[in-house]
Amino acid sequence: DMAFISNPYESVTLEQFWPDNIAKYSKLVYVPYYTNMASSESSVCALCGMPVATQAWRILAQSEEIMKMHRKYAPKHGANLLVTGLPKWDNILELKKAPETLPKGWKEKISGKKVFLWNSHFAVSPSEPGTLLDYGQAIVDVFSGRKDIALIWRPHPMTSTIFKLYASAARPFWEKLVHTVESAPNMVFDTGLSYVPSFQASDALLSDFSSIIAQYMLTGKPVLWLKNKIDPRGKGYIEDTVHIDCLEQAESTRDIAAFIDRIVGGIDPGKEERLRCVRKDLPFADGHIGERTCSLLLEDLQREDGLI
């Protein structure tokens, strides 16, 4: 009766699983795999211009802001959207009460320390907003010199491929940094399939512009947005869908070190504003999105079949 997809890209999917082919046989439901943080020409194209925007029977939307975007730009003008929040948020909220489960080898490196999760993006060219080349060595150096803090580095999964194929000149830098982290007594290089262990184990996040920021905000823990001079919101920026300007921001290695010191000292000056942003921009994050979504989809299906 219904088929669910989270990968809307034809270029990396077998043809029989393209949205238009699935929609011939079943009611297609698209569950976005990431939390959108800003609307721009590029995000409008991604959210409203791909075949799934037309072929999906229902699309789950994280907020009313996404609905407004579809009403203005999408072929069906929001008629196939359900504003529910994203089911993946439920798991993050569950972490607050779930027992901590650490991957093998993590406990020896991070126990008894303030733990920082570092999320770096693969965008490393001078015209892109990723900060790995700007701050990577400095971040690792800070943790190398201290025994009271620990680092979990979780780079974007495409990073290694980018350095091999498109940024080969910087590949030695990448490989050396990975080796340093892997061999350090207080650092972990996280390549696991799920970010759940790193969300659980960390006390704060250091991150490039990434949907990981919005998802980590749901934990209530502090976040430092790593910035360079490039606007990360994309070409033709329109407006924020998650307002992360409320977060602490770093524009130098000194800012990063100061943030780390504040967290170690138990100082979190932006907490109230950060939580206010979560309530405003992610209002459906209550731990029951999956359950609520199932009920709404079943009701719509039964209504169309004349059962209710």
Side-chain angles (χ1 to χ4, degrees), residues 159-229:
T159 308
S160 181
T161 301
I162 293 297
F163 277 107
K164 287 178 182 178
L165 300 180
Y166 306 110
S168 57
R171 184 176 174 182
F173 164 83
W174 158 256
E175 293 176 343
K176 182 181 177 182
L177 207 63
V178 171
H179 174 72
T180 300
V181 170
E182 288 181 325
S183 58
N186 64 334
M187 292 188 247
V188 170
F189 187 66
D190 180 13
T191 57
L193 295 177
S194 172
Y195 53 67
V196 164
S198 60
F199 272 38
Q200 271 193 310
S202 58
D203 297 296
L205 172 70
L206 317 172
S207 180
D208 290 343
F209 186 84
S210 161
S211 62
I212 288 292
I213 287 181
Q215 286 151 203
Y216 197 87
M217 287 170 69
L218 293 171
T219 69
K221 300 174 185 178
V223 179
L224 181 68
W225 173 14
L226 305 176
K227 302 180 71 175
N228 61 18
K229 296 179 181 179

Side-chain angles (χ1 to χ4, degrees), residues 66-294:
I66 303 300
M67 172 64 88
K68 291 177 185 177
M69 193 189 306
H70 273 257
R71 283 174 178 158
K72 188 172 183 179
Y73 300 106
K76 292 193 173 182
H77 304 290
N80 57 346
L81 255 66
L82 283 178
V83 182
T84 58
L86 302 184
K88 68 185 301 174
W89 298 346
D90 290 348
N91 193 36
I92 298 170
L93 295 173
E94 283 293 319
L95 296 181
K96 296 179 180 180
K97 52 188 177 183
E100 188 176 89
T101 54
L102 297 180
K104 185 179 180 180
W106 284 29
K107 186 175 181 180
E108 295 80 1
K109 290 194 169 192
I110 69 176
S111 290
K113 303 176 178 69
K114 279 289 183 183
V115 181
F116 294 80
L117 169 60
W118 173 28
N119 169 57
S120 60
H121 201 267
F122 66 79
V124 294
S125 77
S127 62
E128 294 177 309
T131 66
L132 176 55
L133 298 181
D134 299 280
Y135 302 137
Q137 189 63 60
I139 290 173
V140 170
D141 287 347
V142 168
F143 286 86
S144 295
R146 295 178 61 166
K147 296 181 179 180
D148 60 330
I149 56 178
L151 178 70
I152 301 171
W153 179 20
R154 186 176 174 83
H156 190 288
M158 284 181 59
T159 308
S160 181
T161 301
I162 293 297
F163 277 107
K164 287 178 182 178
L165 300 180
Y166 306 110
S168 57
R171 184 176 174 182
F173 164 83
W174 158 256
E175 293 176 343
K176 182 181 177 182
L177 207 63
V178 171
H179 174 72
T180 300
V181 170
E182 288 181 325
S183 58
N186 64 334
M187 292 188 247
V188 170
F189 187 66
D190 180 13
T191 57
L193 295 177
S194 172
Y195 53 67
V196 164
S198 60
F199 272 38
Q200 271 193 310
S202 58
D203 297 296
L205 172 70
L206 317 172
S207 180
D208 290 343
F209 186 84
S210 161
S211 62
I212 288 292
I213 287 181
Q215 286 151 203
Y216 197 87
M217 287 170 69
L218 293 171
T219 69
K221 300 174 185 178
V223 179
L224 181 68
W225 173 14
L226 305 176
K227 302 180 71 175
N228 61 18
K229 296 179 181 179
I230 306 301
D231 186 349
R233 293 173 171 92
K235 180 183 177 182
Y237 164 69
I238 301 170
E239 62 181 351
D240 291 330
T241 47
V242 178
H243 293 78
I244 65 170
D245 284 328
C246 68
L247 302 175
E248 292 197 63
Q249 301 170 27
E251 298 183 357
S252 69
T253 55
R254 184 179 301 174
D255 292 340
I256 297 170
F259 174 80
I260 291 171
D261 285 338
R262 284 195 295 276
I263 301 306
V264 171
I267 302 170
D268 183 9
K271 182 177 181 177
E272 291 305 317
E273 180 63 14
R274 190 172 65 247
L275 296 178
R276 186 192 69 79
C277 287
V278 170
R279 291 191 295 269
K280 178 178 180 294
D281 296 334
L282 307 172
F284 298 96
D286 60 358
H288 301 285
I289 297 171
E291 179 184 357
R292 186 165 56 250
T293 297
C294 287

